[in-house]
Amino acid sequence: MLMEWVWESQEQNHQEELLQLQIDHDQQNPDGVAGLYVKVMTDDQMELLRRQISVYATICEQLAEMHKAITALQDPSGVGTRVGNLYCDSLMVSGGHKMGSRQRWTPTPLQLQILEQIFDEGNGTPNKLKVKEIATELAQHGQISETNVYNWFQNRRARSKKKQLIPPTNNVELEAEAEAQVRVESLKEQDSSNPENIQLHDENENVYFLRTEIDDTEFTDSAAIFHQFGSFEPYTKTKM
Amino acid sequence: MLMEWVWESQEQNHQEELLQLQIDHDQQNPDGVAGLYVKVMTDDQMELLRRQISVYATICEQLAEMHKAITALQDPSGVGTRVGNLYCDSLMVSGGHKMGSRQRWTPTPLQLQILEQIFDEGNGTPNKLKVKEIATELAQHGQISETNVYNWFQNRRARSKKKQLIPPTNNVELEAEAEAQVRVESLKEQDSSNPENIQLHDENENVYFLRTEIDDTEFTDSAAIFHQFGSFEPYTKTKM
DNA sequence: GTAGTATGAATGAAAG
DNA sequence: CTTTCATTCATACTAC
């Protein structure tokens, strides 16, 4: 049994995987301060960690909820609800979201102004060099990275284009169709026996869930769980 | 046991305290070079973290198994069982919704995990045959085509490379901060015009959850465990 | 605090 | 392979 999770299967020669953090050796503090040993992680690792935990937490909740629902089902008293529905409900409810993690970059008014200006100059796709240039310049006005700049232009362009297409689109039919489509899908979701329903689980690998109070549930006893700690090999990338 | 830390309290100022992370020097360095952000934790914290994760992992596994067992039980018929399994899969796989409206393929976590694994094995560009092979294998876990696989590797490689140019991940200059340890950067939260935000976090969040056949564990009391769920407030923007 | 919108970022697919 | 596009996700922000 075992779950398989990879934290950082990213390349990077695996030098800094999972919790395999480097020890901050000696810390160069000759000042005689107690040689406090600490682990160091980069933001990325931190983020990954958070996400992983979040995912687990979420999955646990979902499973717990499912279990509750199912057992309730088996219990004559709580009849009426189908597993299929519940499943769908609990999962369909929210829009996608990976856990809220870090803050995202936001251009300062000044940066934005400059960006818009550059954008308006028309020189469409700013090549890599250009991006670097811009990033460097904007860095003087606040935090920013090349990636930010790159994304900004990417989005700006895409949205600019999209906007142009919408105005003339008074297409009622499309709207109606879209709605109809939604409705159909809605129905599908309700039909757990419809194989299509099951097959389509792609798109969103995010696990969402509605928070629920799972108190009266009976599950694994913690002692047992702890007992299994050893089987995880937590300190290293656990890949089983 | 008791895992008490909240990662995601969204209150960004708690978030930091939590692990008593400290942020590396600011990045307003005059030299324009982005400062390297790192988090620092003590061994104890690390241990706690490890436990937390282990607990979740274990719980998830067991719950998953339990659910599987239950659903299979409920509907011993072929279809029923199948549905049960699929449910499990989808569960781990996603909280997919908006089904059917998608056209773009999205790997299920399972598939992703396998892909990553293959990718990590290093064997660069998988040739046609290899792709076919992989596609076939992954098809067992959801819809997928050879093109998907091909594209995936193509993108994965490209982005992996691009990313590597940015992060000169190296253990250094953090020592100093190790002491500074009180770099509560919650101050920044108020100043939106000068976001000391972070960016270029690109790590692919390879968070997976492999279904596993688990031993028939008994699920008993664990209200305590679930209690902890609350401390995560995983996804949802509810931040409650 | 709930809902809707703007937008930064992630990523599959396609063009170059 | 590299770069760009299109679509979608997730979050910050605003308004009720």
Side-chain angles (χ1 to χ4, degrees):
Chain A
M1 89 170 222
L2 303 172
M3 356 193 47
E4 202 153 334
W5 44 330
V6 185
W7 280 88
E8 236 286 331
S9 60
Q10 287 313 41
E11 52 300 339
Q12 323 236 62
N13 36 349
H14 302 205
Q15 63 178 25
E16 45 185 18
E17 326 205 289
L18 181 43
L19 298 180
Q20 198 173 319
L21 314 169
Q22 320 124 274
I23 287 194
D24 203 11
H25 40 288
D26 314 315
Q27 330 203 167
Q28 279 185 18
N29 48 351
D31 52 6
V33 170
L36 176 61
Y37 279 91
V38 295
K39 309 294 186 180
V40 177
M41 310 175 73
T42 63
D43 265 333
D44 283 344
Q45 294 173 316
M46 219 49 213
E47 174 61 14
L48 213 60
L49 221 191
R50 270 190 223 158
R51 288 193 183 181
Q52 180 75 59
I53 292 175
S54 244
V55 168
Y56 271 126
T58 304
I59 291 174
C60 283
E61 288 181 45
Q62 292 188 341
L63 286 167
E65 177 61 17
M66 279 172 73
H67 173 265
K68 201 166 111 185
I70 294 171
T71 52
L73 215 190
Q74 295 184 318
D75 181 339
S77 61
V79 189
T81 322
R82 295 192 315 170
V83 175
N85 286 334
L86 276 175
Y87 168 74
C88 281
D89 283 343
S90 61
L91 293 181
M92 305 283 155
V93 175
S94 51
H97 18 9
K98 304 216 160 152
M99 76 179 269
S101 359
R102 99 189 42 193
Q103 309 121 45
R104 66 183 190 186
W105 166 79
T106 302
T108 63
L110 200 65
Q111 291 178 323
L112 187 59
Q113 189 182 328
I114 298 175
L115 284 169
E116 286 290 355
Q117 190 181 309
I118 296 173
F119 181 80
D120 285 336
E121 286 172 6
N123 312 321
T125 316
N127 57 39
K128 213 176 288 181
L129 181 62
K130 194 99 180 169
V131 168
K132 199 184 186 82
E133 246 174 68
I134 299 174
T136 301
E137 185 188 338
L138 293 183
Q140 304 183 318
H141 305 297
Q143 242 299 280
I144 192 170
S145 76
E146 289 177 38
T147 302
N148 296 144
V149 176
Y150 176 78
N151 285 331
W152 190 87
F153 277 97
Q154 195 91 52
N155 284 314
R156 189 72 177 70
R157 200 177 315 129
R159 282 159 181 154
S160 170
K161 182 184 292 182
K162 192 172 228 174
K163 281 269 160 75
Q164 292 190 318
L165 298 177
I166 296 179
T169 307
N170 247 336
N171 214 323
V172 179
E173 286 189 56
L174 277 179
E175 296 271 343
E177 195 173 320
E179 258 183 73
Q181 184 60 34
V182 170
R183 239 175 277 121
V184 171
E185 280 157 23
S186 201
L187 291 175
K188 280 187 198 164
E189 288 169 7
Q190 305 248 294
D191 182 8
S192 64
S193 67
N194 182 341
E196 188 181 346
N197 201 5
I198 298 157
Q199 282 292 10
L200 298 170
H201 60 270
D202 338 302
E203 186 40 50
N204 201 341
E205 79 254 44
N206 306 315
V207 193
Y208 327 121
F209 190 54
L210 286 181
R211 220 143 56 56
T212 62
E213 357 66 281
I214 314 162
D215 17 275
D216 50 5
T217 336
E218 299 200 350
F219 285 119
T220 325
D221 104 84
S222 40
I225 291 177
F226 276 104
H227 207 275
Q228 298 177 49
F229 276 8
S231 63
F232 268 93
E233 317 233 281
Y235 290 112
T236 53
K237 174 174 176 180
T238 311
K239 207 165 188 179
M240 308 176 270
Chain B
M1 100 177 250
L2 43 87
M3 325 285 190
E4 251 307 81
W5 41 325
V6 185
W7 284 84
E8 227 327 302
S9 61
Q10 208 81 344
E11 324 279 338
Q12 37 230 73
N13 37 339
H14 291 287
Q15 158 179 331
E16 309 301 340
E17 299 170 3
L18 174 52
L19 293 180
Q20 280 163 253
L21 311 171
Q22 77 197 71
I23 302 240
D24 209 7
H25 47 263
D26 66 344
Q27 9 211 111
Q28 301 283 28
N29 341 18
D31 58 351
V33 175
L36 173 62
Y37 276 91
V38 296
K39 309 292 187 183
V40 178
M41 348 175 40
T42 64
D43 274 330
D44 284 344
Q45 295 174 318
M46 223 45 219
E47 175 62 14
L48 200 65
L49 215 195
R50 175 184 149 267
R51 283 199 191 180
Q52 176 78 57
I53 295 173
S54 285
V55 171
Y56 272 125
T58 305
I59 294 173
C60 285
E61 288 178 48
Q62 299 187 338
L63 284 168
E65 178 56 23
M66 177 189 69
H67 172 263
K68 201 167 96 181
I70 292 174
T71 52
L73 238 182
Q74 282 199 308
D75 191 344
S77 75
V79 175
T81 300
R82 173 157 155 279
V83 171
N85 287 332
L86 282 170
Y87 266 170
C88 268
D89 276 338
S90 340
L91 210 210
M92 320 287 179
V93 160
S94 73
H97 64 161
K98 277 187 180 173
M99 302 171 145
S101 59
R102 219 57 90 277
Q103 48 209 45
R104 187 165 98 170
W105 166 78
T106 300
T108 65
L110 215 82
Q111 293 176 323
L112 222 200
Q113 137 128 39
I114 297 173
L115 285 168
E116 286 289 353
Q117 193 178 306
I118 295 173
F119 181 80
D120 282 338
E121 287 171 5
N123 314 321
T125 313
N127 57 39
K128 212 130 200 170
L129 181 61
K130 191 83 182 174
V131 168
K132 199 185 184 83
E133 236 174 81
I134 298 174
T136 301
E137 186 187 339
L138 293 183
Q140 303 182 319
H141 305 297
Q143 277 198 319
I144 191 170
S145 75
E146 290 177 37
T147 302
N148 295 144
V149 176
Y150 177 77
N151 285 331
W152 189 88
F153 276 97
Q154 196 99 57
N155 284 314
R156 187 71 178 70
R157 197 185 346 278
R159 283 161 181 153
S160 168
K161 181 184 292 182
K162 181 179 285 183
K163 196 188 306 178
Q164 265 192 335
L165 299 178
I166 303 175
T169 313
N170 255 322
N171 45 329
V172 241
E173 84 271 81
L174 358 132
E175 288 78 331
E177 288 65 26
E179 305 176 57
Q181 137 119 308
V182 193
R183 195 346 193 163
V184 188
E185 52 108 335
S186 54
L187 308 171
K188 71 181 184 186
E189 83 174 289
Q190 288 294 337
D191 185 7
S192 61
S193 67
N194 177 27
E196 188 186 13
N197 296 332
I198 315 91
Q199 30 61 112
L200 49 68
H201 63 307
D202 229 336
E203 239 25 272
N204 221 327
E205 94 244 39
N206 307 306
V207 196
Y208 320 110
F209 187 108
L210 237 205
R211 178 157 91 303
T212 68
E213 53 276 91
I214 312 174
D215 35 310
D216 38 3
T217 322
E218 257 290 68
F219 293 85
T220 46
D221 157 32
S222 83
I225 293 177
F226 284 111
H227 228 278
Q228 296 166 41
F229 287 175
S231 54
F232 273 90
E233 279 314 308
Y235 296 43
T236 65
K237 10 196 153 188
T238 29
K239 326 168 177 167
M240 77 161 304

